[in-house]
Structures are given as structure tokens and as C-alpha cells.
Amino acid sequence: MSRSALVENVTAMLSDAGFLVSERCAIRPKSFDVAARRGRDTVLVKILGNIDAFDGQTGAEMRRLGEYLRATPMVIGLRTRDEDLKPGVVYFRHGVPVLSPDTAMDLFVEEVPPLIYAAPGGLYVNIDSEILADVREDREWSLGKLASELGVSRRTVSKYEDGMDASVEVAAKLEELFEAPLTSPVDVIDGADEVRDGEPTPEDPDVNPEDEPIVTVLTRVGFDVHPTERAPFKTVSENERQRQQMLTGHSEFTKTAEKRARIMSSVGKVTETTSVYVVERATRDAVDETALIEESELEEIEDADELRDLIRERGGESA
């Protein structure tokens, strides 16, 4: 399957599952292909045939964007260099969960979350430690007795009851022994941090020198500004007082800039984020819902309220 066909299939699947899906980010470099939202759940999705193409720089960018936009970064792909991705299994690359299209279909359309995740050493499942302890005690088995049945140490069984996950083989043996379901699903949307590498959110990249005047103004009027490297926008900015988030682009207003502004508008609708494109000279007020503001106008802005009002005047914000 070509990558274009895969992107179309995944986008259609998300739409069928009730997600509002953004326009495809068809400008390089790009850290994600589409943003999608259903209810309170927002995902940023990278779609790849071979997930080995997903590098650390892109993973770091997606994790930062997920933090700033309150979204879950995710890769949907078909295979690695060595094998196809297994259905029902969550993989991880650079701290980002990776699903096969079948796993994504089960999760989003059928609402059946995966039970298995891949980690160094094999495939694992989450064991419900409280249920395990209860069924062992109901059976009046000691830790040593269960350890002997499983072929592991007493200390290992104790760790299972303290919350350590188990291999697929051990989990299957436990459920066979006690004739009860003991596993809990991997919460890809809210709980992936529990089973992936416990790394902090990667630090922001340096500001592009061309964008420093824009960042300076936004910082002066009260925004925390986060530069990006591979997104269709230059920064994500947050103003806690106004509870406002803003995607910002900056360049000459060319055909490519217009395309970026349109993508920003689409992503902004999904993430419920204002979008603004700063240009040297604007020939119109907005591109879709991305407001166009001239550099000279931005420099004269004195506070966040004034910027918000200007964006509304340009038709770049619906509220």
C-alpha cells in the first residue's frame, strides 16, 4: 500500500469513528500528518508505511506539541524493516505510541483498547495487581506456591502484586491457573506514560533568528512561547490569564505561506486554538480562520487583549 493510500485510509477511519479531522499537513518538514478530535480526546497522528523512518527529532517534536496542545501524539504504521506490526499491540518509538491500522481500528471504531505492549525483551501486559492478590488469597496459595506454578521466583510474584507488568506468556498462565481475567488494557490516550519510557517532555528548540522579533513581542505581551522545528507553524504560544493558545506562522506571504496558513486554520479548529500568520505586508485579513497580521502591526501591540481584539477583527477567531 502506498503512503498516500495509507493516509487516506487512516483519515477515513478517524472520520468514521466520529473524529473531527484536520486537513493533511502536506508541507515538509512535518512532525505530524493530521490532528483529530473526538469529544475531549485529541490526537496528533503521524502515518508511515515503515515506522523505522520515525526519528528522534520528530518524536521529540510530537511529544512537545502533545504537551502544549493537550493532545496524544501517535504513529500509525504498517511495519518495521524486519516485520509487520502485530494487531492488538502498542509499540513505542522515541516515547510515542505506535499502532498498526488494525489496532487503531479496534481502538477508535470498535472501542476495544489493546492489551499488549512491546518493550525491550518482548511483549507485555498490565496485570491488575489487586485482583491477582485477591484470587491468590481466595485460592489460599502462598507466594511460593504461585511462584512454583509459574516457574518464577517468589520475589517476582511479589512484584506482580506490587504492580509490575508480566510477559504475555506469564499473563496467559496466570489466567489459566485462576480461570479469571487478570489483565487491564493499555490506555493509549491517557495512560501511555505508564508503560513507555519515563522521560520528561523534551526541551524546546532554539528560536529561529528570523522569528526572534515575533517571539519577543509575544513574550512581552504575556505569552509563553514554544518554538517548533517541523510543524506547519513556527510557535505554539500560551497565555494563562486569558486561557488562550495560539499557533503562529511567519514568513513572506507566498503561495506556500497561504497553504501553511490554511493548514494552521484547520489544525486550530481541531485543537481549539487560535492561529495567526505574521507577514511583512498583508493583502487580505485572513486565510480561512488564520488571521493575517503585518510585522509593523504586531510590534505596536501593547498587551494580549489588544492582540486578541485584532485577531477577532480580522476574522481569525470565531469567539
Side-chain angles (χ1 to χ4, degrees), residues 66-84:
E67 181 74 19
Y68 307 145
L69 298 174
R70 292 184 285 277
T72 299
M74 179 181 302
V75 176
I76 297 179
L78 297 175
R79 62 188 180 279
T80 67
R81 180 180 62 249
D82 301 321
E83 62 180 357
D84 292 341

Side-chain angles (χ1 to χ4, degrees), residues 195-211:
V195 295
R196 73 179 175 192
D197 295 336
E199 302 173 1
T201 301
E203 293 184 1
D204 288 340
D206 293 335
V207 178
N208 187 314
E210 295 179 356
D211 302 321

Side-chain angles (χ1 to χ4, degrees), residues 173-195:
K173 182 68 173 178
L174 282 169
E175 293 192 339
E176 179 184 340
L177 287 170
F178 293 112
E179 299 179 341
L182 299 173
T183 58
S184 55
V186 180
D187 191 342
V188 177
I189 299 296
D190 296 319
D193 282 334
E194 297 177 5
V195 295

Side-chain angles (χ1 to χ4, degrees), residues 22-23 44 103-104 122 128 166-168 174 198 207 236 242 266 271 309:
S22 74
E23 181 179 332
L44 302 175
T103 307
D128 191 316
S167 68
V168 170
L174 282 169
V207 178
V236 179
Q242 291 188 341
S266 181
T271 59
D309 291 343

Side-chain angles (χ1 to χ4, degrees), residues 33-174:
D33 288 291
V34 295
R37 174 170 50 85
R38 182 177 64 184
R40 301 176 65 180
D41 295 332
T42 303
V43 292
L44 302 175
V45 185
K46 183 77 172 177
I47 304 166
L48 295 168
N50 186 335
I51 66 169
D52 291 335
F54 187 68
D55 60 28
Q57 189 176 8
T58 303
E61 175 98 323
M62 288 190 70
R63 290 180 61 194
R64 286 193 297 265
L65 293 176
E67 181 74 19
Y68 307 145
L69 298 174
R70 292 184 285 277
T72 299
M74 179 181 302
V75 176
I76 297 179
L78 297 175
R79 62 188 180 279
T80 67
R81 180 180 62 249
D82 301 321
E83 62 180 357
D84 292 341
L85 300 188
K86 295 180 175 62
V89 178
V90 179
Y91 300 79
F92 290 89
R93 288 292 186 277
H94 308 295
V96 176
V98 180
L99 312 178
S100 72
D102 287 340
T103 307
M105 176 76 76
D106 288 343
L107 174 63
F108 294 125
V109 177
E110 303 299 333
E111 299 188 1
V112 177
L115 289 173
I116 303 170
Y117 68 92
L123 300 177
Y124 298 86
V125 297
N126 299 315
I127 294 292
D128 191 316
S129 56
E130 292 184 3
I131 293 180
L132 174 60
D134 287 344
V135 296
R136 178 182 61 78
E137 291 170 4
D138 288 345
R139 188 72 64 88
E140 297 183 348
W141 281 12
S142 66
L143 291 173
K145 168 66 173 174
L146 179 53
S148 177
E149 292 288 340
L150 293 175
V152 300
S153 68
R154 183 181 182 280
R155 183 181 179 188
T156 297
V157 172
S158 179
K159 286 183 176 181
Y160 291 151
E161 294 190 359
D162 285 339
M164 184 178 79
D165 293 343
S167 68
V168 170
E169 293 77 15
V170 167
K173 182 68 173 178
L174 282 169

Side-chain angles (χ1 to χ4, degrees), residues 32 65 69 228 231-236 247-249 260 264 267:
F32 63 95
L65 293 176
L69 298 174
T228 66
F233 36 87
K234 291 294 189 73
T235 67
V236 179
L247 310 177
T248 306
R260 286 184 182 277
M264 287 169 56
V267 171

